[in-house]
Amino acid sequence: MTLEPTHLERDVDPSTLESSSTPKQRATHQDGWVGKRTGVVVPSLSHSVQLNSQPSNQHAHTDVTDFLLSKVLTPEKLRKPEQMVQVQKSLSKLGELLYILRPLIYVLSILKFGRRSWKPWFISLFVEIGSDIAVKKGYRNGSRHNMMPLEKQELSRRLKQLLLNVMRGAFYLHITRPRLEKMCNKLEHKPVLSIVSNVLRDYLPLWEQIYFYTSAS
C-alpha cells in the first residue's frame, strides 16, 4: 500500500542538535544527563519517578512501571521497512493503481464533460470508493484485522478524505458554494464574524479552481 507521507519522519530534527554544550544544555544537566553529540536528555530518577507526595514537576511519572513502559520498544518499532507493509495481491495492486491514477481520470473527465457536469464528480467518487474496496479485498478475508498498523492508518486516512468530495466539482458548484456564499452574506455585517466570512470568501475560488486543495494527496 502506498503510504502518506512517502518518507519516514524523524523523531529528532538534526538542525536542532549542537555539537557542543550550550547554556541551555548546561541548564538541563541538573535535570538529568545530556548527550554531547545527539543532545538527548536522559531525565534523572527524581524527575521520572514520584519519590514523595509532592512531585518535582508536572511531568513526573507516578510509578516506575509507567516510566519503563514509556521507553519500551514495541514490535512495530523493531520491524524492518519491508516488514511494515504486506506484499499486495493482484486485486490490491489494481486498487493502488486506481488511487494513483484518480487525479488523471478526474481531469480527463472534466475535459470531456465540462466542469459543471456531474459526471466527473461521480466518476471521481466511484474511482476512490472502488480503489478503497479493492485494496481492502486484497487482504485475507477482506478484513482490516489482517492489515499492518501503517496500512490501517493509511486506509483510515483515505476514507476520511472522501469527505473532501463535497468541496469538489459539480457538488461544490451547485450545492456547497451557494450555501457558503449565503452564509458569508449573513455574516458580512457582524462585528467579529465578518473577519471569518471575508477569509472564507477569499478561499471560495481557490477550492473551485485548484484541485490539490481538495484532493487526498
Side-chain angles (χ1 to χ4, degrees):
M1 178 180 289
T2 306
L3 303 179
E4 178 72 22
T6 55
H7 59 279
L8 297 178
E9 297 181 349
R10 297 177 182 266
D11 293 333
V12 179
D13 186 0
S15 62
T16 61
L17 304 180
E18 299 181 5
S19 58
S20 60
S21 179
T22 62
K24 181 179 179 180
Q25 289 177 323
R26 288 194 294 269
T28 59
H29 274 281
Q30 59 183 357
D31 298 335
W33 177 83
V34 181
K36 294 182 179 180
R37 183 175 63 85
T38 62
V40 176
V41 179
V42 179
S44 62
L45 187 62
S46 61
H47 285 74
S48 301
V49 182
Q50 182 178 352
L51 299 178
N52 48 47
S53 58
Q54 298 295 332
S56 57
N57 58 43
Q58 59 181 355
H59 301 292
H61 293 267
T62 58
D63 187 35
V64 176
T65 304
D66 294 338
F67 172 72
L68 295 177
L69 289 177
S70 65
K71 303 298 181 182
V72 70
L73 291 176
T74 60
E76 288 76 14
K77 295 181 180 179
L78 297 176
R79 288 194 178 102
K80 297 180 180 180
E82 60 270 14
Q83 297 175 338
M84 293 183 177
V85 293
Q86 302 181 36
V87 178
Q88 295 180 333
K89 299 180 181 179
S90 57
L91 190 59
S92 293
K93 291 180 180 179
L94 176 61
E96 286 297 313
L97 183 61
L98 287 175
Y99 184 79
I100 294 173
L101 294 178
R102 77 193 191 287
L104 178 61
I105 296 174
Y106 180 64
V107 171
L108 293 178
S109 60
I110 287 179
L111 294 177
K112 181 175 179 60
F113 301 108
R115 185 181 293 272
R116 302 187 66 86
S117 174
W118 281 93
K119 291 182 179 179
W121 187 83
F122 279 112
I123 292 174
S124 175
L125 180 63
F126 290 152
V127 167
E128 292 194 35
I129 295 177
S131 171
D132 294 338
I133 294 176
V135 169
K136 188 176 179 181
K137 291 293 184 181
Y139 293 89
R140 186 175 56 186
N141 299 328
S143 175
R144 293 185 56 176
H145 298 291
N146 298 315
M147 294 183 178
M148 305 295 287
L150 289 178
E151 293 172 332
K152 293 180 181 179
Q153 294 176 10
E154 176 63 19
L155 183 61
S156 298
R157 187 190 71 87
R158 294 184 184 183
L159 293 176
K160 292 177 182 177
Q161 294 292 343
L162 287 175
L163 296 175
L164 289 175
N165 283 280
V166 302
M167 303 295 295
R168 188 188 306 164
F171 194 99
Y172 176 75
L173 291 175
H174 297 292
I175 298 178
T176 306
R177 180 165 182 171
R179 284 164 173 75
L180 291 177
E181 290 178 342
K182 185 177 181 180
M183 183 184 68
C184 290
N185 293 333
K186 290 182 178 180
L187 301 178
E188 188 175 6
H189 301 290
K190 303 293 182 179
V192 178
L193 298 178
S194 60
I195 300 176
V196 179
S197 66
N198 291 332
V199 174
L200 183 61
R201 196 186 299 274
D202 292 337
Y203 273 94
L204 291 179
L206 296 179
W207 291 330
E208 177 183 350
Q209 299 172 6
I210 302 178
Y211 169 77
F212 289 100
Y213 268 95
T214 57
S215 65
S217 62

